[in-house]
Amino acid sequence: MDEKLKIKISIADRVYPLTVTMSQEEGLRSASKKIDAMMKQFEENYAVRDKQDVLAMCALQFASQLEQKQIDTTIDGKETIARIKKISDLLINYLDK
C-alpha cells in the first residue's frame, strides 16, 4: 500500500496542505505548476484582475483539453474498429473463394 505524505501545494499564491499517496505527489506538483503558468499567461494576455476569474478560465481550459482528448480517443476507437471489420470482411471473402 502506498505510504501517505503530507505536502503543501501552492496555487494562485495560496497554500493548500494535502495528504496524498507517494504516487500522486508528482502529478499534483506538476498540475500546480501548470495552473500557475497558465494563470500567468492569462493575466499577461487579458485584462483580468480577479484571481477567481483567472482560475475559472484555467479550469475551463484544462476541462476542454480533457474533453477533446476523450472525443479524439472515441473517434479513433470507432475508426479502428471499422478498419478491423473491413479487413476481417476482406479476409473472409478471400478465404471463401
Side-chain angles (χ1 to χ4, degrees), residues 23-39:
S23 61
Q24 293 174 314
E25 181 185 13
E26 184 179 351
L28 287 167
R29 292 194 188 281
S30 176
S32 170
K33 288 178 184 175
K34 286 180 181 180
I35 291 168
D36 280 336
M38 187 177 286
M39 286 183 67

Side-chain angles (χ1 to χ4, degrees), residues 8 11 13 16 23 31-33 36 39 54 94:
K8 293 180 180 178
I11 300 172
D13 300 325
Y16 298 92
S23 61
S32 170
K33 288 178 184 175
D36 280 336
M39 286 183 67
V54 177
Y94 179 78

Side-chain angles (χ1 to χ4, degrees), residues 11-13 31-51 53-55 57-58 62:
I11 300 172
D13 300 325
S32 170
K33 288 178 184 175
K34 286 180 181 180
I35 291 168
D36 280 336
M38 187 177 286
M39 286 183 67
K40 184 178 178 182
Q41 184 179 9
F42 278 130
E43 288 171 337
E44 288 174 357
N45 294 330
Y46 303 100
V48 182
R49 293 185 182 161
D50 187 1
K51 290 278 188 197
D53 289 340
V54 177
L55 283 168
M57 292 168 68
C58 289
F62 282 120

Side-chain angles (χ1 to χ4, degrees), residues 60-71:
L60 179 61
Q61 182 79 11
F62 282 120
S64 68
Q65 289 172 358
L66 178 62
E67 288 298 318
Q68 189 60 50
K69 282 182 183 179
Q70 289 176 342
I71 289 168

